[in-house]
Amino acid sequence: MDMNQPIGATPLDGKPDGLVGRPIDRIDGRLKVTGRAPYAYETRDLKNPAYGFLVEAGIAKGRIRSLDVSAAKRAPGVLLVMTHENVPEQGEKKEQVYPQLQGTEIRFHGQPIAFVVAQSFEQARAAAALVRAEYDVQTPEASLKAARPNAVEPKPAQTPPDSELGDFDGAFASAPVTLDVEYTTPVQIHAQMEPHATIASWEAGPDGDRVTLFTANQMLNRGQTSLASVLKLKPENVRLVSHYIGGGFGSKLQPQPEAILSALASRSLKRPVKVALTRQQEFHVATHRTDTIQRIRLGADETGRLTAIAHESWSATAPGDVFYETSAVVTRSLYAAQNRLTRHRLANLNVPIASAMRAPGEAVGQLAFECAMDELAEHLKIDPIELRIRNEPEQDPEKKVPFSTRQLVACMREGAQRFGWDKRGATGATRDGQWLVGMGMAAASRLNPLMPSQAGVRLNPDGTLTVRMAMTDIGTGTYTILAQIAGEMMGLPIERIHVEIGDTAYPKAAGSGGSFGAGSAGSALYVACDNLRQALLQSAGMNAEGATFSEGRVTSGNRSEALADLAGAQGVEAKGEIKPGAMKEKYSQHSFGAHFAEVGVDADTGEIRLRRMLGVFTGGRILNQKTARSQALGGMIFGIGAALMEAAETDTRYGYFVNHDLAEYHVPAHADVPAIDAVFLPELDDKANPLKSKGLGEVSICGAGAALANAVYNATGLRIRDYPLTLDKVIDGWNEREGAAQRRT
Amino acid sequence: MGSCAALATLGASLRGRAEAAPAAVDPQPQTMPVSLEINGTRHDLTLDTRTTLLDALREHLDLNGSKKGCDHGQCGACTVLVNGRRINSCLSLAVMHEGDSVTTIEGLADGDSLHPLQAAFLHHDGYQCGYCTPGQICSAAGMLSEVEAGWPSHVTDDLTRKASLTDEEIRERMSGNICRCSAYPNIVAAIRDASTKI
Ligand code: FES
Ligand code: FES
């Protein structure tokens, strides 16, 4: 099915008690709570693996003068030490997947320089520490701030880096009310709990070599293509298996160096090789979210109607890489204004490779933009919700097409009512003991893409149904929602659905990323089930008109058959495919939401504590109320981290992240997360996909941190424009204010 | 290579000096016999003395339920119960546990019937990816016995009385277990629920 027109009535509609949407427990939950779900490093399918350990460059720019591996090679248990001198020939880089150990040039700290393989993990680790590198060191460029004047226009990603409409400069110059502010966001780290890990097994064969990787990867078919390119194999000879994935958040969208190195080592050793990055290596060897500098200019009339919007963003990645943070893309569709400008610039620095992290673009874009809106509201003495309502566009202001659905205003109103927004005090006016208390809100918006995806289903002779596709579940609940969709379509109870995903041996699927996973893979499954329904009706000679599938039977007119009987001795198979189509161009498709936060700021120490938080979201049809809520809460808590604690600090002299472990890079812990809740407004989006659903995994992080920052302003009157908002910045703000007051007297 | 080693190397080359050659060959790995009682079964192993309890479980006993998230005591994914108390198994060498009784996530359920904490995590959706989950559950089991034994925490108001299991107490006491999927609200709900059933 090509998504060329709106979807009419479907078998999923009008079933308030149906399987789809029901808050059932995860079908893979039992395996997870008993410790029996095998993650990549834990597979038993590849026997007798050797252990790999990666060695990182200790400088950010320069050349390897010498690499002494003699001691490592002699160390007990060592089977192989791979460096640029003996690494097998590799193919072309593909996207952000690079051939490894290429020559002596070092472009960033943490670039792999050797791979040591031994009989045991302890031996590999000890031998890796014996590798001695000497470098000709050059001074790295690692500061985005310093590189900003020379940043360049990047190659277009999904959309062009720049956009312009009307006459921004003229409108801004003549606007009665203007705002011109700069926000900065730091490097953030995915910090998914399962480090990148692979067990690779290379086999030479008559029709070409093949490699199997049990690996932690979100998008298996994309990984298959890129690994095939780098490893110089036919894509069909590269098999990726990823049944359980310990979180991704973008870090596992593409294979990382450990996958390539273990595959090459397995080729040399003719034996499976397993490797996991250490937590410390995660920070430099794998990707991160770049820091950004964002300038926002708003021009408005006295009533708060925006006449001019400009959002510019600067970001950085490693030399030769083209990834840039699309911070301002969401601004193109969020609020109305006649005159608009967005611009992205990129600096190639001696820093590790930047890539997508949960809601790339929007997450940090809205950290800045939604605070700028709060600043404008404060300036105009208009309620921040009212300001947003006054700038609600009738259609996408840049694409000039209608929104498929847009319930931003409804989300803000519902949230305001539930949260008690009317109790919000004037700036700096609310105190609870030692705590200065404030409330803040922010809007949330995230693009809803659809990706090509395929699915296979098979009705088995015993009346069960097997679903197969190279889809992944990174904690998003994919196993469960696929079973719910298939169960509802075929009228089978959840126990009779077997979901088999996580293997490129199955039909090509979208994978998990960019909020497209459930909608794309679920739609492919919907189409496959629809085809299976037609096939069954046809072979049974039953009338498709008015046929219903329920309780394991198909009924049409006065005939009713058990599916198990129709399956026959061989079973019946069907395939399905979804592709994006004209709906993508004819409608602007986004998930929307609104965040509300209440914080306390310690009046003496400046410590900021979140007290409560609420998110109200729309994401089309909700496929499982329980897992959807979990995902939304997870995104909001990522927002807490972004607002209050997360920052990988770059030592710009050496181009590395100083706090590269989980003790020093702070993510929210239990004690940081008070009572928070997420709710969904009813919605169906018939322009999005046949499920009428939209993505949920990312809209919930968008704007979340800004709501906290705005609450800090409401509590203290301090506008901190440099994330994260830590107590030292609060105290600096107070000191500045005091100094200014003294200067006045 | 840890950052210290990396910087030492960098420092040496900045000064333009070659490093002293490392010792000719490492001695053969030292191994030691150790006997562990794991989930009620005795295991006699001979292990590299550098092997952590976590790696002994995962790499030598095929018990992959305990997870490695950081290998440095910073995340809690490897939490197991040793003689009834929760520890980070990545921070402890296996050979230090001669004769100890170790309970891992695989040993919590009673046959097919889940431990109340496992059932509550399932019901409350106290996880997403599931990678921190065994550690959260083992940690919660250990934490509940600490409360039962009258141990106070940072947020306990009255140190002379047994703390009651408020949400604040649960959050404080579970803060050594990171969940990047951020299932925290559901984990707290699960522990609260299970605590009444243990
Ligand atoms: S793996 Fe032990 S605390 Fe992280
Ligand atoms: S469930 Fe994924 S880290 Fe906790």
Side-chain angles (χ1 to χ4, degrees):
Chain A
M1 175 193 282
D2 291 16
M3 203 48 212
N4 284 327
Q5 48 239 350
I7 299 293
T10 78
L12 305 181
D13 291 340
K15 292 192 180 152
D17 302 320
L19 197 48
V20 169
R22 204 183 290 168
I24 62 166
D25 296 344
R26 287 172 202 252
I27 61 170
D28 51 335
R30 218 183 152 86
L31 287 177
K32 285 180 176 174
V33 300
T34 54
R36 286 185 291 118
Y39 297 79
Y41 198 75
E42 301 161 2
T43 183
R44 288 127 167 123
D45 293 25
L46 302 176
K47 303 289 179 222
N48 189 30
Y51 290 78
F53 202 94
L54 190 147
V55 183
E56 300 168 83
I59 64 163
K61 187 179 183 190
R63 284 198 174 275
I64 300 172
R65 193 190 320 143
S66 70
L67 199 55
D68 179 0
V69 298
S70 53
K73 271 179 154 167
R74 285 196 308 268
V78 169
L79 302 166
L80 174 71
V81 180
M82 204 159 64
T83 69
H84 64 278
E85 282 166 3
N86 64 348
V87 70
E89 191 193 331
Q90 294 161 76
E92 293 293 307
K93 94 165 202 193
K94 176 98 182 169
E95 297 184 282
Q96 290 186 294
V97 183
Y98 292 84
Q100 296 298 308
L101 309 176
Q102 300 295 293
T104 56
E105 189 192 348
I106 304 297
R107 299 174 303 137
F108 61 88
H109 183 105
Q111 179 182 322
I113 58 168
F115 190 64
V116 178
V117 186
Q119 299 284 9
S120 79
F121 170 66
E122 292 78 13
Q123 291 172 333
R125 182 180 55 189
L130 297 175
V131 173
R132 283 287 172 268
E134 284 189 51
Y135 305 100
D136 292 323
V137 185
Q138 292 165 28
T139 309
E141 258 192 279
S143 159
L144 176 58
K145 199 170 153 211
R148 172 181 178 168
N150 303 320
V152 298
E153 183 178 330
K155 291 201 189 109
Q158 269 87 359
T159 51
D162 292 3
S163 72
E164 237 181 301
L165 204 76
D167 168 23
F168 171 78
D169 286 332
F172 185 72
S174 61
V177 183
T178 60
L179 182 83
D180 183 353
V181 287
E182 251 180 40
Y183 280 81
T184 51
T185 65
V187 170
Q188 295 175 348
I189 304 292
H190 307 86
Q192 78 294 340
M193 291 309 300
E194 180 205 20
H196 290 88
T198 300
I199 307 185
S201 178
W202 190 291
E203 281 156 51
D207 45 336
D209 290 7
R210 322 177 69 87
V211 68
T212 301
L213 299 101
F214 282 72
T215 185
N217 189 289
Q218 298 174 225
M219 295 177 76
L220 299 181
N221 296 113
R222 184 180 178 191
Q224 182 181 39
T225 315
S226 52
L227 283 175
S229 170
V230 171
L231 297 173
K232 295 183 90 166
L233 294 173
K234 293 187 220 139
E236 59 273 24
N237 286 355
V238 178
R239 178 177 168 216
L240 273 69
V241 185
S242 218
H243 291 310
Y244 294 92
I245 301 166
F249 316 116
S251 70
K252 295 169 181 167
L253 287 173
Q254 303 178 71
Q256 298 298 312
E258 105 289 346
I260 298 161
L261 292 168
S262 56
L264 294 173
S266 168
R267 175 181 170 180
S268 301
L269 291 171
K270 302 186 173 43
R271 176 177 170 184
V273 172
K274 70 193 282 192
V275 57
L277 294 186
T278 67
R279 181 53 63 183
Q280 289 77 3
Q281 289 172 344
E282 281 288 322
F283 285 70
H284 297 115
V285 177
T287 60
H288 62 274
R289 181 177 349 241
T290 166
D291 46 345
T292 67
I293 301 171
Q294 299 179 51
R295 182 183 185 195
I296 294 165
R297 284 175 289 170
L298 302 175
D301 66 18
E302 287 87 352
T303 67
R305 279 207 180 75
L306 290 165
T307 54
I309 298 176
H311 189 170
E312 295 163 271
S313 167
W314 290 261
S315 64
T317 189
D321 196 68
V322 297
F323 181 89
Y324 69 99
E325 190 73 24
T326 49
S327 322
V329 167
V330 64
T331 307
R332 295 174 187 167
S333 59
L334 199 44
Y335 300 114
Q338 297 283 344
N339 306 288
R340 329 172 58 96
L341 179 157
T342 66
R343 195 178 279 158
H344 297 88
R345 293 293 176 266
L346 174 67
N348 285 109
L349 301 178
N350 300 109
V351 294
I353 299 166
S355 192
M357 175 166 150
R358 200 170 196 169
E362 284 99 334
V364 288
Q366 283 171 73
L367 280 177
F369 199 87
E370 285 299 299
C371 285
M373 287 297 278
D374 201 66
E375 295 201 51
L376 185 64
E378 179 73 15
H379 188 78
L380 289 162
K381 302 280 172 265
I382 299 176
D383 181 90
I385 295 177
E386 180 56 31
L387 177 69
R388 287 168 173 86
I389 292 173
R390 284 185 194 173
N391 290 291
E392 180 69 6
E394 271 169 21
Q395 58 173 5
D396 187 302
E398 296 203 15
K399 283 194 199 145
K400 305 284 186 198
V401 296
F403 289 100
S404 59
T405 63
R406 178 169 167 128
Q407 295 200 67
L408 173 57
V409 173
C411 288
M412 292 191 294
R413 290 206 164 117
E414 177 76 17
Q417 202 243 329
R418 286 177 182 248
F419 199 68
W421 182 248
D422 55 342
K423 312 239 166 28
R424 175 175 179 255
T427 306
T430 311
R431 190 155 179 154
D432 174 11
Q434 86 205 70
W435 298 99
L436 309 173
V437 180
M439 284 190 208
M441 64 80 57
S445 173
R446 161 77 199 172
L447 188 72
N448 179 62
L450 180 68
M451 299 279 278
S453 210
Q454 301 172 2
V457 290
R458 178 189 160 85
L459 180 65
N460 302 307
D462 63 358
T464 62
L465 185 87
T466 303
V467 173
R468 280 187 164 176
M469 61 178 89
M471 184 54 190
T472 51
D473 186 334
I474 59 173
T476 36
T478 314
Y479 277 104
T480 310
I481 57 120
L482 292 180
Q484 287 176 279
I485 293 165
E488 185 71 66
M489 287 297 289
M490 301 312 302
L492 290 170
I494 202 95
E495 307 75 43
R496 281 166 66 180
I497 313 290
H498 306 299
V499 179
E500 297 183 0
I501 59 175
D503 192 331
T504 52
Y506 304 150
K508 283 192 170 73
S512 305
S515 289
F516 53 68
S520 306
S523 294
L525 176 58
Y526 169 96
V527 176
C529 289
D530 200 40
N531 291 341
L532 180 62
R533 286 162 61 115
Q534 304 311 327
L536 291 171
L537 286 164
Q538 208 176 15
S539 73
M542 292 167 79
N543 191 353
E545 199 67 36
T548 56
F549 286 74
S550 88
E551 294 177 26
R553 305 185 71 80
V554 49
T555 308
S556 180
N558 51 13
R559 266 186 72 191
S560 175
E561 302 281 351
L563 292 193
D565 295 338
L566 296 184
Q570 306 302 320
V572 182
E573 289 186 5
K575 287 186 170 45
E577 181 168 19
I578 188 81
K579 283 188 197 152
M583 289 296 94
K584 187 177 156 195
E585 310 305 331
K586 286 193 180 150
Y587 293 89
S588 181
Q589 298 188 24
H590 301 261
S591 302
F592 290 95
H595 297 274
F596 294 82
E598 182 183 287
V599 303
V601 182
D602 188 298
D604 297 317
T605 66
E607 180 189 7
I608 302 167
R609 304 289 297 170
L610 178 67
R611 292 157 68 103
R612 59 196 185 97
M613 190 170 181
L614 170 71
V616 181
F617 305 103
T618 51
R621 189 194 304 277
I622 303 301
L623 303 173
N624 178 321
Q625 289 283 349
K626 187 181 286 198
T627 56
R629 177 174 175 273
S630 296
Q631 253 196 305
L633 292 175
M636 290 163 66
I637 295 169
F638 255 68
I640 300 173
L644 301 184
M645 59 198 81
E646 289 187 37
E649 304 289 353
T650 310
D651 184 331
T652 54
R653 298 167 303 167
Y654 300 111
Y656 84 111
F657 304 134
V658 181
N659 50 338
H660 55 280
D661 66 19
L662 288 177
E664 303 298 330
Y665 181 87
H666 292 173
V667 299
H670 275 284
D672 298 311
V673 183
I676 74 171
D677 204 3
V679 296
F680 303 104
L681 298 186
E683 185 176 270
L684 294 176
D685 189 339
D686 63 354
K687 322 289 189 313
N689 60 49
L691 308 175
K692 305 179 183 175
S693 72
K694 291 206 277 208
L696 279 182
E698 297 178 312
V699 66
S700 50
I701 185 180
C702 299
L708 272 82
N710 292 337
V712 169
Y713 179 82
N714 181 241
T716 62
L718 296 177
R719 188 64 72 178
I720 300 167
R721 300 193 184 91
D722 176 33
Y723 283 97
L725 279 60
T726 45
L727 75 185
D728 52 312
K729 295 172 193 171
V730 174
I731 289 175
D732 283 351
W734 281 333
N735 287 342
E736 235 167 75
R737 192 153 69 186
E738 218 166 90
Q742 271 166 11
R743 280 194 297 279
R744 273 200 300 277
T745 53
Chain B
M1 189 192 287
S3 65
C4 294
L7 284 179
T9 313
L10 168 63
S13 65
L14 283 177
R15 290 191 298 275
R17 245 187 320 119
E19 293 248 321
V25 175
D26 250 15
Q28 284 303 310
Q30 303 291 307
T31 60
M32 258 177 84
V34 61
S35 150
L36 304 166
E37 191 196 302
I38 296 167
N39 300 328
T41 308
R42 186 180 148 143
H43 294 270
D44 296 311
L45 301 165
T46 300
L47 293 175
D48 190 318
T49 50
R50 298 168 294 186
T51 303
T52 61
L53 178 57
L54 176 62
D55 283 330
L57 295 168
R58 286 169 62 84
E59 306 302 323
H60 297 265
L61 293 162
D62 205 21
L63 290 170
N64 285 302
S66 309
K67 302 301 180 198
K68 188 184 281 191
C70 70
D71 222 9
H72 271 60
Q74 300 172 343
C75 77
C78 63
T79 308
V80 300
L81 300 166
V82 174
N83 304 329
R85 280 178 47 185
R86 52 176 173 165
I87 68 159
N88 289 335
S89 62
C90 72
L91 279 190
S92 193
L93 298 172
V95 294
M96 293 158 63
H97 290 282
E98 175 63 33
D100 280 351
S101 142
V102 181
T103 307
T104 70
I105 190 74
E106 290 94 343
L108 275 188
D110 182 6
D112 267 352
S113 82
L114 295 177
H115 184 278
L117 277 165
Q118 291 172 315
F121 269 66
L122 189 56
H123 175 67
H124 290 276
D125 212 37
Y127 50 64
Q128 290 177 42
C129 76
Y131 199 77
C132 75
T133 311
Q136 301 276 359
I137 292 175
C138 288
S139 184
M143 181 273 286
L144 291 174
S145 16
E146 289 161 19
V147 175
E148 197 47 42
W151 296 15
S153 84
H154 173 66
V155 299
T156 310
D157 283 333
D158 184 349
L159 298 184
T160 64
R161 294 232 303 266
K162 194 169 127 185
S164 60
L165 197 70
T166 60
D167 286 358
E168 201 192 2
E169 284 280 3
I170 297 176
R171 290 186 193 118
E172 172 62 28
R173 291 167 188 262
M174 290 298 294
S175 276
N177 289 85
I178 295 175
C179 176
R180 185 55 159 168
C181 296
S182 303
Y184 298 124
N186 295 348
I187 295 172
V188 171
I191 295 173
R192 193 197 308 129
D193 185 4
S195 70
T196 62
K197 296 177 184 151
I198 293 176

